[in-house]
C-alpha cells in the first residue's frame, strides 16, 4: 500500500557508522534527499534498466550496499542478496553470478582481483555482467591487466567511483579504458564529480591547489550528509562552510588527491595516520 505518512526530504533515511574497528565510531546521518539525488544524478552517467540484475555483495553496515540495493529497486531491476558465506568464497560467488545472470557488479578492487582469477579459469564465464563498479578503496588499474587482456574493456564496462560515506556513497565517475590499465603508471584516476557535486583539492589554508599539486579532497553539493550523530565538535571540524554557496557546507575528506592538467582527479591516499586493512579503516 502507498505510504500515508509524509516523509520530508531533510529527514534521516539512515545512519551508518564509519571509522572501522578502532577509534570512537562515527555515525553518519544521511537524509532522504541525499539518497534520492544520488540515483537521479547517476542517471546522467549510468543507465540501469528494469532488466538489470544487481548483486548485493556487501553488508548493509557498509554503504556500498545502499548503491546495490536501491540502485536495483529504483530502476525496477532485480537485487540478488549474496549470502555472507558465498561472498567469502570466490568460486561460489562466481557460480552465483553465472546462475543469476548478474549484470551490475559492485566490487572493492581487492575482491575483484580474486574474482578475475576464478572467472578466467572457469569453464563458464560471467558473461552477463555489463558493468563492474569499483569503490571502497584505492584502485590500482594495473591489477586489472589480466582481465582486460582476456576480455577487453568494452563488456563489461569498468568504472572507478571514488566515494565517501559522508557524501552519500559515490562522488565521482571514471570509465576505464585499456590504455589506463595496460600502460598504467601507478596512478589511480577517479575522474570527475557527479553533476550535482563539486570536488575540489585544497591546501591547508583552503586554497585550491594547481594542476600537479597535492591537497585534500573536499566535496560540496547535494550529497553532503547532515553530520555525525551526537558529535557536534567533529561535525564542525569536518563539515565546513562552503564559500561558494552561503549557508551550504563542504566535507573535508582527509583523502589526498592531485588534479591533472585536463581537470581529472587522481586519488593518492590519506593525510592522517588512518590505514585500511581488509576493508576496515583503522585509526
Amino acid at each position: 500500500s502507498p505510504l500515508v505518512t509524509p516523509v520530508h526530504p531533510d529527514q534521516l533515511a539512515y545512519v551508518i557508522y564509519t571509522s572501522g574497528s578502532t577509534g570512537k565510531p562515527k555515525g553518519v546521518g544521511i537524509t532522504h534527499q541525499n539518497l534520492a539525488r544520488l540515483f537521479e544524478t547517476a542517471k546522467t552517467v549510468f543507465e540501469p534498466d528494469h532488466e538489470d540484475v544487481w548483486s548485493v555483495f556487501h553488508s548493509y553496515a557498509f554503504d556500498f550496499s545502499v548503491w546495490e540495493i536501491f540502485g536495483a529497486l529504483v530502476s525496477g531491476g532485480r537485487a540478488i542478496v549474496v549470502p555472507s558465506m558465498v561472498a567469502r568464497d570466490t568460486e561460489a560467488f562466481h557460480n552465483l553470478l553465472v546462475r543469476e545472470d548478474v549484470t551490475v557488479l559492485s566490487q572493492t578492487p581487492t575482491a575483484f582481483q580474486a574474482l578475475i582469477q576464478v572467472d578466467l579459469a572457469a569453464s563458464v564465464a560471467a558473461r552477463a555482467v555489463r558493468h563492474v563498479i569499483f569503490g571502497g578503496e584505492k584502485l590500482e588499474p594495473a591489477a586489472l591487466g589480466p582481465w582486460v587482456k582476456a576480455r577487453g574493456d568494452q563488456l563489461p564496462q569498468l568504472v572507478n567511483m571514488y566515494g565517501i560515506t559522508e557524501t552519500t556513497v559515490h562522488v565521482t565517475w571514471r570509465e576505464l579504458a585499456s590504455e589506463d590499465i595496460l600502460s598504467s603508471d601507478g596512478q589511480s584516476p577517479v575522474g570527475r564529480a557527479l553533476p550535482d557535486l563539486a570536488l575540489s583539492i585544497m591546501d591547508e589554508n583552503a586554497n585550491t591547489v594547481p594542476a600537479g599539486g597535492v591537497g585534500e579532497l573536499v566535496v560540496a553539493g547535494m550529497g553532503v550528509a547532515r553530520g555525525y550523530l551526537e558529535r557536534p565538535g567533529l561535525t564542525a571540524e569536518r563539515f565546513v562552510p562552503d564559500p561558494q554557496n552561503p549557508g551550504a557546507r563542504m566535507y573535508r575528506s582527509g583523502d589526498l588527491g592531485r588534479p591533472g592538467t585536463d581537470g581529472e582527479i587522481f586519488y593518492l591516499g590519506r593525510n592522517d595516520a588512518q590505514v585500511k586493512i581488509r576493508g576496515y579503516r583503522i585509526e
Side-chain angles (χ1 to χ4, degrees):
S1 301
L3 292 174
V4 295
T5 303
V7 177
H8 193 279
D10 290 334
Q11 287 179 317
L12 280 179
Y14 61 82
V15 173
I16 280 186
Y17 282 81
T18 184
S19 88
S21 59
T22 62
K24 185 175 181 180
K26 303 186 290 285
V28 182
I30 300 295
T31 68
H32 288 277
Q33 178 174 258
N34 290 149
L35 185 57
R37 48 67 41 195
L38 170 65
F39 298 105
E40 285 299 312
T41 195
K43 289 179 183 178
T44 63
V45 291
F46 172 58
E47 298 180 354
D49 61 35
H50 66 280
E51 295 183 346
D52 275 316
V53 180
W54 299 57
S55 59
V56 183
F57 180 85
H58 299 93
S59 162
Y60 60 74
F62 177 25
D63 68 345
F64 217 163
S65 68
V66 172
W67 169 259
E68 295 173 311
I69 295 169
F70 293 104
L73 298 181
V74 302
S75 60
R78 188 157 58 99
I80 303 296
V81 179
V82 180
S84 60
M85 295 307 295
V86 173
R88 298 172 187 174
D89 182 335
T90 307
E91 289 193 12
F93 178 52
H94 183 267
N95 291 338
L96 180 147
L97 297 178
V98 173
R99 182 175 67 251
E100 299 290 350
D101 289 327
V102 169
T103 62
V104 182
L105 173 63
S106 296
Q107 290 277 272
T108 62
T110 299
F112 191 69
Q113 285 183 46
L115 187 62
I116 288 175
Q117 303 306 318
V118 171
D119 187 73
L120 296 183
S123 57
V124 179
R127 293 286 181 181
V129 177
R130 66 189 190 99
H131 299 287
V132 179
I133 296 169
F134 298 105
E137 62 189 32
K138 182 180 179 181
L139 171 68
E140 301 286 354
L144 305 177
W147 175 277
V148 170
K149 288 178 182 177
R151 299 280 295 272
D153 62 354
Q154 297 302 308
L155 192 65
Q157 176 192 47
L158 303 174
V159 176
N160 193 19
M161 295 188 80
Y162 167 73
I164 321 166
T165 302
E166 291 88 343
T167 56
T168 317
V169 190
H170 292 308
V171 173
T172 68
W173 176 277
R174 173 58 152 80
E175 185 173 351
L176 299 167
S178 294
E179 53 266 28
D180 296 313
I181 297 163
L182 301 180
S183 60
S184 176
D185 54 7
Q187 299 186 100
S188 184
V190 296
R192 292 175 171 80
L194 294 172
D196 67 343
L197 299 175
L199 181 59
S200 304
I201 301 181
M202 297 183 174
D203 63 18
E204 61 273 14
N205 297 314
N207 297 312
T208 302
V209 303
V214 174
E216 182 179 18
L217 294 170
V218 180
V219 183
M222 298 295 289
V224 175
R226 177 185 290 186
Y228 294 117
L229 186 67
E230 298 179 355
R231 300 286 296 277
L234 187 59
T235 296
E237 176 187 333
R238 288 293 187 179
F239 293 84
V240 298
D242 181 354
Q244 303 297 322
N245 295 287
R249 297 169 306 143
M250 310 183 299
Y251 177 71
R252 295 178 51 219
S253 69
D255 290 324
L256 293 174
R258 180 181 63 78
T261 55
D262 59 354
E264 184 164 65
I265 291 174
F266 297 87
Y267 175 82
L268 301 179
R270 295 288 301 174
N271 68 357
D272 54 21
Q274 193 180 85
V275 296
K276 185 168 281 191
I277 301 174
R278 298 176 187 164
Y280 292 93
R281 293 200 292 178
I282 311 298
E283 302 288 353

